[in-house]
């Protein structure tokens, strides 16, 4: 199995470590050929700055091919800025990026004072998962009945799943618990084996 981590900007190295620790091969996606020439079984969109990542994806001609791969079912794990890239709508912004995940997000939603914090709670079936938020977005609307809420924090939605797309407002890659990455790799394995 081969997983591609978008490595244009932001916190991508920690994701690579998690993926490799969990036993899968991992490559960096830096240009179009990395995306199209590797028959990837899964894609990770890391945290960072969504405006910068979106701009680079457009400039490098990767936005449309990436969107098509996700629409075709390639599993994607998106954290923080990655969730913003996936979202169909971004509050206060007329333009979205990939737009494959039918939710509305609000950027930097916890305010400056509480820009970074930790919270322990359930994420789907995982109990007591340590969630680290860094200038995190929240999901303010679910735009399809098929979007499943995986986690809430401070009465806000902070993790969702829609088909093979997992969107998290927090950063599971910077703590020691690989459970979310393992669940993502299970999805990738099913996709790899042709099970949708
Ligand atoms: N605030 C960033 C954005 O809007 C996301 C922060 C992060 O990825 N840690 O893109």
């Amino acid at each position: 199995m081969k997983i591609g981590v978008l490595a244009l900007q932001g916190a991508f190295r920690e994701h690579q470590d998690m993926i490799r620790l969990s036993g899968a091969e991992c490559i960096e996606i830096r240009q179009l050929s990395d995306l199209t020439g590797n028959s990837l079984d899964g894609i990770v969109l890391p945290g960072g700055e969504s405006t910068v990542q979106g701009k680079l994806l457009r400039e490098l001609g990767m936005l449309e091919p990436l969107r098509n791969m996700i629409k075709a079912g390639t599993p994607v794990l998106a954290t923080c800025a990655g969730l913003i890239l996936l979202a169909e709508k971004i509050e206060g912004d007329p333009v979205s990026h990939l737009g494959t995940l039918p939710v509305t997000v609000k950027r930097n939603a916890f305010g400056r004072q509480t820009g970074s914090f930790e919270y322990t709670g359930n994420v789907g079936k995982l109990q007591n998962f340590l969630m680290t938020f860094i200038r995190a977005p929240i999901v303010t609307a679910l735009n399809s009945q098929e979007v499943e809420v995986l986690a809430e924090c401070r009465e806000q939605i902070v993790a969702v799943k829609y088909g093979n797309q997992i969107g998290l407002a927090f950063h599971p890659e910077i703590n020691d618990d690989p459970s979310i990455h393992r669940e993502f790799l299970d999805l990738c394995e099913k996709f790899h084996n042709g099970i949708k």
Side-chain angles (χ1 to χ4, degrees):
M1 266 212 317
K2 204 193 268 184
I3 308 299
V5 178
L6 189 68
L8 300 178
Q9 188 267 343
F12 52 88
R13 288 199 180 82
E14 295 84 351
H15 277 292
Q16 291 177 320
D17 293 344
M18 277 279 184
I19 302 272
R20 288 187 183 127
L21 255 166
S22 305
E25 192 189 338
C26 191
I27 63 137
E28 294 184 356
I29 304 170
R30 292 182 175 274
Q31 55 193 354
L32 184 58
S33 57
D34 299 328
L35 196 60
T36 53
N38 271 301
S39 44
L40 294 173
D41 301 304
I43 293 165
V44 176
L45 303 178
E49 206 49 52
S50 55
T51 45
V52 177
Q53 294 180 357
K55 185 170 177 279
L56 289 170
L57 281 175
R58 282 180 179 85
E59 284 174 5
L60 293 164
M62 288 162 65
L63 194 72
E64 194 66 35
L66 187 53
R67 182 185 290 135
N68 291 339
M69 285 173 75
I70 297 170
K71 279 189 177 170
T74 306
V76 58
L77 176 65
T79 59
C80 207
L83 166 62
I84 299 165
L85 288 184
L86 277 189
E88 182 177 82
K89 286 190 194 136
I90 304 166
E91 278 193 19
D93 198 332
V95 186
S96 59
H97 301 285
L98 293 160
T100 53
L101 180 64
V103 299
T104 303
V105 295
K106 183 177 177 192
R107 297 177 62 201
N108 302 317
F110 290 100
R112 285 198 182 177
Q113 296 305 319
T114 49
S116 299
F117 62 97
E118 289 183 338
Y119 175 80
T120 301
N122 297 345
V123 182
K125 283 180 232 133
L126 302 172
Q127 296 193 338
N128 300 319
F129 193 87
L130 176 63
M131 300 176 235
T132 304
F133 294 86
I134 305 168
R135 292 178 298 109
I138 55 169
V139 173
T140 54
L142 308 177
N143 305 329
S144 160
Q145 289 187 341
E146 281 155 49
V147 179
E148 182 190 344
V149 174
L150 295 179
E152 292 184 33
C153 165
R154 300 184 182 175
E155 294 173 9
Q156 308 291 348
I157 297 170
V158 293
V160 293
K161 182 169 184 285
Y162 173 72
N164 279 349
Q165 302 179 54
I166 301 172
L168 311 173
F170 53 89
H171 288 265
E173 75 283 7
I174 58 177
N175 298 310
D176 291 334
D177 188 343
S179 310
I180 290 184
H181 287 78
R182 292 215 172 120
E183 286 201 354
F184 166 64
L185 289 174
D186 284 346
L187 278 183
C188 299
E189 198 165 348
K190 284 190 187 130
F191 179 73
H192 180 84
N193 293 328
I195 307 164
K196 290 272 162 100

